[in-house]
Amino acid sequence: MPIYKPDLGLLKKAVSSVQRQCYPNWELCLVDDGSNDEHLIRMFHKLEGDARIKVLLSKMNEGISAAINKAATLANGSYFGVLDQDDELHSSALLEYAQVITRNPEVDIIYCDEDKIDERGRFCSPWYKSDWNPDMALSFNYVMHFVLYRSSLFRALEGTRTRFDGSQDYDLLLRAVERTGYIHHIPKILYHWRISAGSIAGGPEAKPHVFVKGLAALNDALHRREIQGSAEHAPDAWKGVYRVRRKIKRPHTTSILVLLTGNPARPLPLFRSIAALIPSAEREIICMDPSTPEADKTSMVHNILFTYVVSSEKAPNNVSAYYNAMARKARGDFLLFLDDTMEFLSSETHFALLEQGQRPEVGAVGGKVFYPNGFLEQTGIILGPFGLFAYANRATPDDVGYVGIKRMITNYSAVMGLGMMTRRSLFFELGGFDEQYDSYCWDVDYCLRLRERRFLITSTPYATFRHHIAARPAHFAISSQDTSLFKKRWQHVIDNDPYFNKNLSRLHEDFWPG
């Protein structure tokens, strides 16, 4: 615990929260960073009666990183965690962490859910987090409190770094996850972050320098990882939300696969948006319309002001088979799945999909899809709601969302098929979409098969589409054939979506606490 000029009453509560732990095998290492406060010194002397508490007084104020590193030199434990001087641990916190270590002795990093303590001492603002979410971690320090690091890992990283004081915890996390993939999330609120004067818990304006240092730590990580690009503060987002802009590797071509529905006028907004927003050298368009005679398709081609390919290949009567048939005609490096009810909204959409889709660790990428009324249809797909899956943030306004998630590049278990991009080589490696599905579930199934192979599914808010359909109800009908097949194959993920905390409601799609 790094300490500097604390409120003694709140410090006593923080220390007491450790002394009240159900799990007894702990030590508390307190380092005062040059407060030079006689009352604090007297308090320390009293605490030294507990053999598990160690105290170090620094004569000079050297900053929070230096204090944390000094505390680490006092520590004998096999794991380190930082508790702020005015926050509190739940009484079972260390027991929960010890149980994780017992069950998973290889684990290197452990974190939990958290909430806040307001000025009246009430618990509020529960924050139910995702399991390890590498893209969210590059958008926001969502891990925050309370993180345990294996002590050998902490020492190998040489602790926290003074030049990132204020965001030293973010810098440490970014460096640590480059060394290990053994990361565990406990979906329980075990840390209580106090809202007090000068604390970010009360609002980001309290410490604006923290977010400058956070951005510097993120750019340092990009350099270390040899990622071509740079990070910036995300527009229209909370302080502390960042955007990583990746350089697009060229040359490349995107095959845009469009399923038509027989109305010659319907695809015009889509085709015009493609013509306006995607360079012709970087795309081909392949269309299939099972319901329209070939002569009518040829007539429609002449009404479009750019060239595209019409697939006449026969295919079974289901959506996944149609897309598979079009994919076999494709020559592009990437496949982008659309139908004639979709429309690109932004000149950035294609770029935003490509910058994520080109990453070798990403299997599929999607964006924000809007209804005509301006409300969201989806930012990704969450499994579990309504006993199956749901469109994340469906029928909500385009605000920042739960803990700012609508403004973050983040990982989900799946994204909606319309507006989804994937590498063509990977698509055929997986055998395309499963044609056993009729109209639904084919896209989610594809994403989950990618996840089985340890690929990430990424959603970016910078790729935006309008979907020209009426807003669907929360739980729209899906054929029993699609549902039964999907549940048979993926019930274990429906029950435990790693990106959708189990404490969140299964009756809502916008991350309500359950």
Side-chain angles (χ1 to χ4, degrees):
M1 182 187 292
I3 296 169
Y4 182 67
K5 294 185 177 181
D7 178 310
L8 292 184
L10 298 182
L11 176 59
K12 288 177 183 178
K13 290 182 177 181
V15 171
S16 294
S17 76
V18 179
Q19 294 175 312
R20 292 195 305 268
Q21 289 298 302
C22 301
Y23 182 75
N25 190 18
W26 53 263
E27 62 181 3
L28 176 60
C29 303
L30 306 172
V31 172
D32 176 58
D33 191 33
S35 298
N36 297 315
D37 184 320
E38 293 183 4
H39 299 288
L40 178 61
I41 293 171
R42 283 198 293 270
M43 177 183 168
F44 282 164
H45 286 323
K46 293 179 181 179
L47 290 174
E48 286 178 325
D50 188 332
R52 296 172 296 182
I53 298 179
K54 301 177 180 181
V55 176
L56 176 64
L57 300 176
S58 297
K59 293 182 179 180
M60 296 178 58
N61 175 237
E62 298 179 83
I64 190 170
S65 290
I68 291 171
N69 292 337
K70 288 178 182 179
T73 65
L74 303 176
N76 295 313
S78 53
Y79 289 83
F80 297 161
V82 176
L83 172 61
D84 288 345
Q85 65 185 22
D86 52 1
D87 296 343
E88 298 180 25
L89 293 178
H90 187 278
S91 60
S92 65
L94 298 185
L95 177 62
E96 293 283 352
Y97 280 72
Q99 289 174 335
V100 168
I101 295 166
T102 300
R103 292 191 299 266
N104 307 280
E106 76 285 355
V107 68
D108 290 317
I109 302 172
I110 314 171
Y111 65 99
C112 66
D113 297 340
E114 61 187 274
D115 63 7
K116 296 178 182 177
I117 307 173
D118 69 13
E119 295 86 346
R120 297 184 181 182
R122 298 173 300 187
F123 298 119
C124 61
S125 304
W127 183 356
Y128 297 115
K129 304 172 186 176
S130 166
D131 285 357
W132 177 240
N133 191 318
D135 281 325
M136 183 181 281
L138 293 179
S139 298
F140 180 61
N141 181 15
Y142 82 94
V143 170
M144 197 69 76
H145 313 106
F146 169 63
V147 190
L148 283 193
Y149 291 95
R150 187 184 294 274
S151 58
S152 58
L153 174 61
F154 183 90
R155 291 189 173 109
L157 294 167
E158 299 182 346
T160 54
R161 299 195 288 180
T162 300
R163 66 189 173 105
F164 296 109
D165 272 5
S167 284
Q168 74 289 331
D169 52 348
Y170 190 31
D171 173 62
L172 178 62
L173 175 71
L174 292 171
R175 288 184 292 129
V177 299
E178 294 166 9
R179 299 281 190 101
T180 181
Y182 294 110
I183 306 166
H184 188 90
H185 165 230
I186 303 173
K188 295 181 180 181
I189 292 176
L190 302 176
Y191 190 94
H192 308 300
W193 188 11
R194 190 176 300 278
I195 300 173
S196 58
S199 169
I200 295 177
E205 61 280 351
K207 295 182 179 179
H209 72 282
V210 166
F211 309 113
V212 175
K213 292 295 182 68
L215 182 60
L218 179 54
N219 274 307
D220 192 59
L222 299 181
H223 176 74
R224 223 171 27 248
R225 300 177 190 189
E226 299 182 343
I227 295 174
Q228 293 187 320
S230 62
E232 60 191 36
H233 294 285
D236 303 319
W238 288 354
K239 294 287 186 181
V241 177
Y242 308 110
R243 178 185 182 180
V244 174
R245 287 184 176 269
R246 299 169 186 264
K247 184 177 180 181
I248 297 293
K249 301 171 185 176
R250 288 182 165 84
H252 58 73
T253 305
T254 300
S255 296
I256 303 172
L257 313 184
V258 183
L259 184 60
L260 303 174
T261 56
N263 183 340
R266 181 172 290 166
L268 293 180
L270 170 62
F271 291 150
R272 286 169 180 156
S273 68
I274 292 172
L277 302 177
I278 304 177
S280 59
E282 296 184 7
R283 45 113 171 127
E284 69 171 1
I285 301 178
I286 300 176
C287 299
M288 173 177 283
D289 185 350
S291 63
T292 304
E294 196 67 34
D296 292 342
K297 294 179 190 176
T298 303
S299 174
M300 186 170 63
V301 171
H302 294 312
N303 290 327
I304 305 301
L305 300 179
F306 56 95
T307 304
Y308 69 109
V309 180
V310 177
S311 172
S312 59
E313 182 173 340
K314 299 294 183 181
N317 188 29
N318 69 57
V319 172
S320 53
Y322 295 146
Y323 281 122
N324 286 343
M326 285 188 279
R328 287 191 287 271
K329 298 284 187 180
R331 297 169 297 170
D333 305 294
F334 300 91
L335 304 177
L336 175 58
F337 303 94
L338 297 168
D339 72 10
D340 57 10
T341 61
M342 298 286 284
E343 177 187 5
F344 285 78
L345 282 183
S346 165
S347 59
E348 198 172 17
T349 296
H350 186 231
F351 170 88
L353 294 173
L354 281 174
E355 68 172 334
Q356 305 304 326
Q358 69 181 352
R359 296 162 54 195
E361 69 273 24
V362 171
V365 56
K368 280 184 177 179
V369 181
F370 290 87
Y371 287 123
N373 63 7
F375 279 65
L376 286 165
E377 180 177 10
Q378 70 106 46
T379 59
I381 289 178
I382 47 180
L383 281 85
F386 317 115
L388 195 66
F389 61 78
Y391 293 161
N393 297 303
R394 191 199 62 82
T396 63
D398 187 27
D399 51 20
V400 296
Y402 183 69
V403 199
I405 194 171
K406 294 180 188 177
R407 296 289 186 265
M408 298 178 194
I409 298 170
T410 188
N411 300 122
Y412 284 98
S413 283
V415 291
M416 190 171 80
L418 296 183
M420 179 174 72
M421 177 181 282
T422 190
R423 291 190 297 281
R424 180 168 61 95
S425 59
L426 186 57
F427 184 78
F428 287 112
E429 184 181 325
L430 264 70
F433 296 130
D434 189 334
E435 297 183 10
Q436 295 181 77
Y437 293 104
D438 183 17
S439 299
Y440 296 100
C441 303
W442 49 273
D443 46 0
V444 188
D445 176 86
Y446 176 73
C447 290
L448 294 181
R449 285 188 284 132
L450 287 169
R451 290 275 301 132
E452 273 192 328
R453 298 194 179 197
R454 300 189 179 278
F455 288 101
L456 296 174
I457 308 301
T458 297
S459 173
T460 171
Y462 306 105
T464 54
F465 298 91
R466 181 179 290 118
H467 196 187
H468 292 278
I469 63 168
R472 290 169 169 164
H475 192 197
F476 56 90
I478 297 177
S479 75
S480 58
Q481 172 187 326
D482 290 347
T483 301
S484 59
L485 176 59
F486 187 82
K487 286 185 173 182
K488 181 179 179 181
R489 186 175 291 172
W490 301 113
Q491 189 64 53
H492 61 290
V493 188
I494 295 171
D495 294 337
N496 295 285
D497 185 340
Y499 302 113
F500 188 59
N501 192 297
K502 70 177 186 179
N503 296 295
L504 298 172
S505 172
R506 268 50 187 167
L507 299 177
H508 297 88
E509 297 159 288
D510 56 351
F511 299 86
W512 281 28

